[in-house]
Amino acid sequence: MLTKSHIKLITSLKQKKFRQQEQLFVVEGIKGINEFLNSSFELHILFSTETIFNAEMILISDKELQKISSLKSPNTAVAIFKIPKRTNTIAQGLVLALDDVRDPGNLGTIIRLCDWFGIKQLVCSNATVDCYNSKVVQATMGSLARIDIQYVDLEAYLKAYQEDVFGTFMDGNNIYLETLPNSGIIVMGNEANGISKTIEKRVTKKISIPRFGDVQATESLNVATATSIVLSEFKRFNG
């Protein structure tokens, strides 16, 4: 049965401070929940209107589901998973770094892109939106379960790195004409301001995605769109 304490907990987890305090986050929908059930993430509690999961669950009504879902059209189930304890790992291979990406939809899409292009490590500045934000979790479509994400002092992290750090800039070298390695860190910047001046000092190679339109009036690309192009080109170049 769904209790008032359950509702209170799920409602509180919409806020980052309570997610950090409880070390819990919410996942909604059949596909997303199954992705986490089949991963190393530990289930805390699962509510469902149907007995369709291979896990212990609490059966609830559609009306009760609406009370705890953050979606306009709730999808069968809501689960709470434990946030795993992460240890900062040394950058290996090709790593993506985000400098203060704030939009949950962008971060969720970028996590999916990492999953798609085989990027195992995603490094986020401390000001980047929380990856356990419900909108981020929803946008990842389960990819969050497969990517190593860490939040760091990005300037210090890049300062200690020994290989090339690539950064995307409007005046950078044309990415389609560059020799691209299969290891290094690629930095993508904030939606409104791009890569900050502090992080720019740590970039060793500036790259850009050229505009091909006749008018060339578009100021910039969405950060998730730009990330997809950059990762695709790095992977294409290295076979």
Side-chain angles (χ1 to χ4, degrees), residues 35-48:
E35 292 279 9
F36 283 96
L37 288 175
N38 293 323
S39 73
S40 60
F41 280 75
E42 185 178 347
L43 177 67
H44 179 66
I45 193 166
L46 170 59
F47 304 93
S48 179

Side-chain angles (χ1 to χ4, degrees), residues 110-127:
I110 288 169
I111 292 170
R112 287 185 69 189
L113 288 168
C114 286
D115 194 15
W116 182 267
F117 286 107
I119 304 298
K120 302 297 184 183
Q121 293 175 281
L122 176 62
V123 178
C124 301
S125 65
N126 287 319

Side-chain angles (χ1 to χ4, degrees), residues 46 48-55 57-60 76:
L46 170 59
S48 179
T49 59
E50 302 175 28
T51 54
I52 55 175
F53 297 99
N54 185 25
M57 69 190 76
I58 296 174
L59 283 175
I60 59 175
T76 308

Side-chain angles (χ1 to χ4, degrees), residues 162-176:
Q162 299 298 312
E163 296 184 49
D164 279 325
V165 175
F166 292 81
T168 49
F169 296 87
M170 293 299 291
D171 61 349
N173 295 328
N174 185 337
I175 190 172
Y176 301 120

Side-chain angles (χ1 to χ4, degrees), residues 55-74:
E56 184 177 341
M57 69 190 76
I58 296 174
L59 283 175
I60 59 175
S61 66
D62 289 332
K63 187 175 182 180
E64 287 175 317
L65 179 64
Q66 290 179 341
K67 289 182 180 179
I68 59 175
S69 175
S70 61
L71 304 177
K72 290 182 179 180
S73 300

Side-chain angles (χ1 to χ4, degrees), residues 18-47:
F18 290 115
R19 291 195 296 272
Q20 292 179 331
Q21 179 180 305
E22 301 292 338
Q23 287 296 289
L24 299 170
F25 71 102
V26 176
V27 182
E28 296 197 48
I30 298 170
K31 183 183 185 302
I33 291 172
N34 273 325
E35 292 279 9
F36 283 96
L37 288 175
N38 293 323
S39 73
S40 60
F41 280 75
E42 185 178 347
L43 177 67
H44 179 66
I45 193 166
L46 170 59
F47 304 93

